[in-house]
Amino acid sequence: MRPLDSTEIPTVERLRSAGSVFAEDEARVLHDAAASGADLAAMLERRVRGEPLEHVVGWAEFDGLRVAVDPGVFVPRRRTEFLVRQAASRCRPGGVVVDMCCGSGAVGLALATAFGGRIELHATDVDPIAVSCARRNLAAIGALVYEGDLDAPLPDRLAGSVDVIVANVPYVPRDEIALMPPEARLHEPSTALDGGIDGLDVLRRLAARAPRWLPPGGHLLIETSERQADAAAEAAARHGLTPTLETSDELGTTILIGSRAA
């Protein structure tokens, strides 16, 4: 990362006074993104008021890619790169992949990039703002993005032919949303955070629906947490999927893999 320029020091100080723990990194991003002094001042004010940096500059770095993130869209987290790696190890060139609860489309974009665009990618999200953002991110690779609840908008022709379903479903227990940083709870959609009483409502629904789309040997991969892992595995097994759990201590995340027997 480049050294700070002297003109960036006041920005660093303002960010620090507002509570940023990554003030120097954020200052570099803001200065690089600003088209003018007035633009910088406006963006800095938005950030100081608590908007996520990614919403302010309009993009997030994810798995080495720059992904457009519109205001109101869930910001992809670095921990979700582990979901991408686990899904990529189960994909194949020419295979069919569905990214459910796709948000900005970051996971699907990273997977398609890993395969040089040689997968047939479909994505869904219930939030129209996220769908619009994902369509923009995924247009260049020819992916189809549908608006609707989980698998509801998928074309029937995909039934039994999806090699991998990948999903970063909402999994925050409802009573814990109030404990999240204001960046998330005030600026990201509740549909991307609220997983119900125990955080597993959407995961259970997806585990019930996935077998319709997966052929023998197909896989469902869902990001969850270590404390929810056993209950998540039970949900997959209840619907005929063989559960496996993969955990990254480095990124602090757990992935449920539910596989159909070959």
Side-chain angles (χ1 to χ4, degrees), residues 96 98 100 150-165 206 208-216 218 260:
V96 179
V98 175
M100 290 192 191
L150 296 178
D151 62 332
L154 291 177
D156 290 339
R157 68 175 180 82
L158 293 180
S161 67
V162 178
D163 298 281
V164 169
I165 298 172
L206 183 49
R209 298 180 184 195
R212 178 190 175 200
W213 305 98
L214 298 174
R260 280 203 66 186

Side-chain angles (χ1 to χ4, degrees), residues 54-224:
E54 295 81 1
H55 288 173
V56 172
V57 299
W59 58 270
E61 183 177 340
F62 181 77
D63 203 33
L65 303 171
R66 182 173 287 198
V67 181
V69 181
D70 295 335
V73 174
F74 181 79
V75 176
R77 275 48 164 182
R78 182 167 176 261
R79 63 175 174 264
T80 305
E81 294 176 6
F82 186 60
L83 176 63
V84 173
R85 292 199 290 271
Q86 291 296 317
S89 70
R90 292 163 174 83
C91 290
R92 60 181 177 85
V96 179
V97 176
V98 175
D99 179 6
M100 290 192 191
C101 304
C102 69
S104 65
V107 171
L109 179 62
L111 278 171
T113 301
F115 281 85
R118 292 174 297 149
I119 59 173
E120 180 185 334
L121 178 64
H122 302 259
T124 73
D125 201 286
V126 72
D127 182 355
I129 299 175
V131 168
S132 176
C133 185
R135 284 176 176 158
R136 194 164 74 254
N137 280 317
L138 299 175
I141 59 173
L144 296 175
V145 185
Y146 312 88
E147 181 183 338
D149 180 44
L150 296 178
D151 62 332
L154 291 177
D156 290 339
R157 68 175 180 82
L158 293 180
S161 67
V162 178
D163 298 281
V164 169
I165 298 172
V166 62
N168 185 13
V169 302
Y171 60 91
V172 180
R174 185 166 296 152
D175 288 347
E176 296 181 18
I177 291 177
L179 305 177
M180 295 184 73
E183 289 182 355
R185 60 184 167 80
L186 298 180
H187 296 281
E188 293 180 317
S190 61
T191 52
L193 304 174
D194 188 347
I197 298 301
D198 66 353
L200 294 174
D201 282 3
V202 182
L203 184 148
R204 291 190 185 95
R205 291 174 55 223
L206 183 49
R209 298 180 184 195
R212 178 190 175 200
W213 305 98
L214 298 174
H219 306 281
L220 167 68
L221 293 96
I222 307 178
E223 180 174 306
T224 186

